[in-house]
Amino acid sequence: MSQIKSVEEIAAMREAGRVVAQALAAVKAHAEVGTALTELDDVAATVFSGAGAVPAFLGYHPRWAPVPYPGVICASVNDAIVHGIANGLRLADGDVVSIDAGAFLDGWCADSAISFTVGTPRPEDVALIEATEAALARGIAAARPGNTIGDISHAIGRDARRAGYGILAGHGGHGIGRAMHEEPHVPNDGLPGRGIKLAEGLVIAIEPMLILGGRDEYTHDADGWTLRTPSGRRAAHAEHTVAVTAEGPLVLTLP
Ligand code: MF3
Ligand code: CO
């Protein structure tokens, strides 16, 4: 069962979302050629602790992961798709960087991700990131009462597929609230009209991951967390936490 949030609860989640947005903006501002991913993790940790927020990823241990997540953010560079561990890797010219961050404030969780390049970007990477952001925007636009989860999935997947990008069919977004991962699952590709109806007060994280070259494959790194393309093709990720309201979709993870 997916949980329905009251107007007051959504307002509280908005405050959590604001802090997550601030952390992502600070990380992006700090990232340049030569920056180590651990430094970016420290930047996010500082924003969270300064706001009285509790990192949602640190120590998170879902059933499928061999070890608890060891960082505050996920930093997925180039062919890392998502869940990249913020290790000692230093950013290089032209890298595609995806940063995912989540936090609890007053017991409410928000989860968001951005992708950007450092140094001189490759044109196809700029297009990849724009397509990922466009897919997220279309998914958000479909998050209205009366639509279904499948309408969101279809909105994300259709144009991305047409444009020739790969999508991880088994991965996607999720309900969010008192816990980071709640029902329902929000696939990044699917048929319109399928799945549960979107009710007012449903809050979901919508998170397309697009891969250059059109294939949907991934492997896990030995760290047990990082999802990477076996081909070495680059990927991008974008995510917002969104409330379904009578007035339409309300993005909670904005500054
Ligand atoms: N946005 C990611 C997701 O929903 C955040 C999880 S990162 C983790 O899968 F490390 F906490 F798992
Ligand atoms: Co998420």
Side-chain angles (χ1 to χ4, degrees):
M1 262 302 280
S2 45
Q3 316 247 328
I4 293 303
K5 278 83 180 177
S6 69
V7 170
E8 293 75 22
E9 290 171 334
I10 289 170
M13 291 188 72
R14 171 77 182 103
E15 295 313 310
R18 201 186 306 278
V19 175
V20 170
Q22 284 162 355
L24 288 176
V27 167
K28 184 177 179 179
H30 191 86
E32 52 188 47
V33 174
T35 307
L37 301 183
T38 46
E39 293 172 45
L40 301 180
D41 208 70
D42 292 344
V43 168
T46 301
V47 171
F48 286 159
S49 65
V54 178
F57 299 178
L58 187 64
Y60 185 64
H61 196 177
R63 259 166 297 143
W64 48 262
V67 291
Y69 191 73
V72 171
I73 59 170
C74 298
S76 307
V77 178
N78 296 337
D79 57 338
I81 308 164
V82 283
H83 297 169
I85 292 177
N87 56 22
L89 180 83
R90 286 187 184 278
L91 296 176
D93 188 46
D95 277 356
V96 173
V97 189
S98 299
I99 304 293
D100 195 340
F104 288 90
L105 187 70
D106 293 331
W108 292 102
C109 191
D111 183 11
S112 183
I114 56 172
S115 293
F116 54 87
T117 58
V118 292
T120 307
R122 301 179 188 175
E124 71 263 34
D125 292 341
V126 174
L128 167 72
I129 292 168
E130 282 174 4
T132 306
E133 290 170 351
L136 174 57
R138 281 191 297 272
I140 292 170
R144 9 186 107 257
N147 273 0
T148 69
I149 291 292
D151 291 324
I152 297 176
S153 305
H154 181 70
I156 293 169
R158 185 196 46 201
D159 289 4
R161 292 269 188 225
R162 275 194 196 142
Y165 294 106
I167 298 167
L168 290 188
H171 290 75
H174 46 92
I176 181 167
R178 289 288 189 190
M180 176 163 65
H181 290 142
E182 297 182 352
E183 293 295 310
H185 178 59
V186 185
N188 284 331
D189 199 11
L191 296 173
R194 294 284 174 88
I196 63 158
K197 266 227 157 75
L198 306 177
E200 272 174 51
L202 179 70
V203 182
I204 49 177
I206 302 176
E207 49 180 316
M209 303 146 215
L210 268 52
I211 303 167
L212 280 171
R215 289 214 294 253
D216 296 1
E217 304 159 288
Y218 69 93
T219 58
H220 273 106
D221 279 8
D223 65 24
W225 276 96
T226 310
L227 265 58
R228 195 178 295 280
T229 64
S231 57
R233 290 189 172 92
R234 293 181 166 193
H237 179 211
E239 175 177 19
H240 274 305
T241 296
V242 180
V244 176
T245 80
E247 291 77 41
L250 182 63
V251 180
L252 304 180
T253 37
L254 289 173

